[in-house]
């Protein structure tokens, strides 16, 4: 599908995501292509609805039919740190954590060298430990060991 090849128009994709999704699903069914189903939990510190819409279109384009769990607005921390039966029952294959600088509650002062010495380092390590508990994880943090 030409609309999903680089360079793409993100505004157009977002605006036409339902139509594109329908076309991709129809073309997959017509060609008897079996989509690979994957459960994806999207935990966000901000609104993630548009991210899910675009992500779904690109995954379908590549033969992956996603099933999403979306956390409530700004509840990513609670979903990971405290037992969330709904998330546990969903049993995601992949967890995508979408945050921004607005979600940082404690910045290190000048002179701190990394998560191990940062005032928020303990919270960061606890969060990483809970996300990885009973799940395969990939850390995208520069401070990960």
């Amino acid at each position: 599908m030409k609309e999903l090849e680089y360079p793409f128009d993100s505004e157009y994709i977002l605006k036409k995501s339902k139509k594109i999704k329908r076309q991709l699903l129809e073309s997959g069914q017509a060609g008897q292509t079996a989509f690979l189903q994957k459960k994806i939990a999207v935990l966000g510190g901000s609104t993630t609805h548009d991210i899910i819409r675009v992500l779904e279109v690109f995954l379908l384009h590549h033969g992956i039919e996603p099933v999403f769990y979306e956390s409530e607005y700004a509840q990513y921390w609670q979903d990971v740190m405290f037992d969330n039966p709904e998330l546990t029952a969903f049993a995601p294959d992949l967890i995508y954590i979408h945050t921004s600088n607005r979600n940082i509650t404690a910045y290190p002062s000048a002179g701190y060298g990394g998560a191990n010495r940062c005032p928020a380092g303990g919270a960061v390590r606890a969060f990483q430990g809970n996300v990885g508990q009973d799940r395969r994880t990939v850390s995208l943090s520069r401070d990960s060991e």
Side-chain angles (χ1 to χ4, degrees), residues 9-20 53:
D9 182 350
S10 57
E11 264 186 65
Y12 175 82
I13 293 171
L14 191 56
K15 184 178 179 181
K16 301 289 186 179
S17 63
K18 287 183 180 181
K19 178 182 175 185
I20 295 170
R53 285 176 41 203

Side-chain angles (χ1 to χ4, degrees), residues 32-126:
Q32 301 302 318
T33 303
F35 286 104
L36 174 65
Q37 288 201 342
K38 287 293 173 183
K39 293 180 183 179
I40 302 172
V42 179
L43 311 179
S46 60
T47 303
T48 55
H49 182 71
D50 289 345
I51 290 168
I52 288 173
R53 285 176 41 203
V54 173
L55 184 58
E56 182 175 35
V57 166
F58 279 97
L59 289 170
L60 285 169
H61 180 63
H62 289 284
I64 301 169
E65 185 174 13
V67 177
F68 289 103
Y69 167 88
E70 184 177 14
S71 69
E72 295 294 325
Y73 179 82
Q75 294 296 305
Y76 72 97
W77 180 266
Q78 291 80 355
D79 281 350
V80 172
M81 297 304 289
F82 307 105
D83 188 31
N84 178 338
E86 189 179 344
L87 178 58
T88 302
F90 182 70
D93 297 308
L94 176 75
I95 298 173
Y96 172 64
I97 301 170
H98 178 78
T99 61
S100 70
N101 64 335
R102 291 181 179 191
N103 304 114
I104 298 173
T105 57
Y107 283 96
S109 60
Y112 281 105
N116 293 330
R117 291 173 276 172
C118 169
V124 169
R125 286 188 298 281

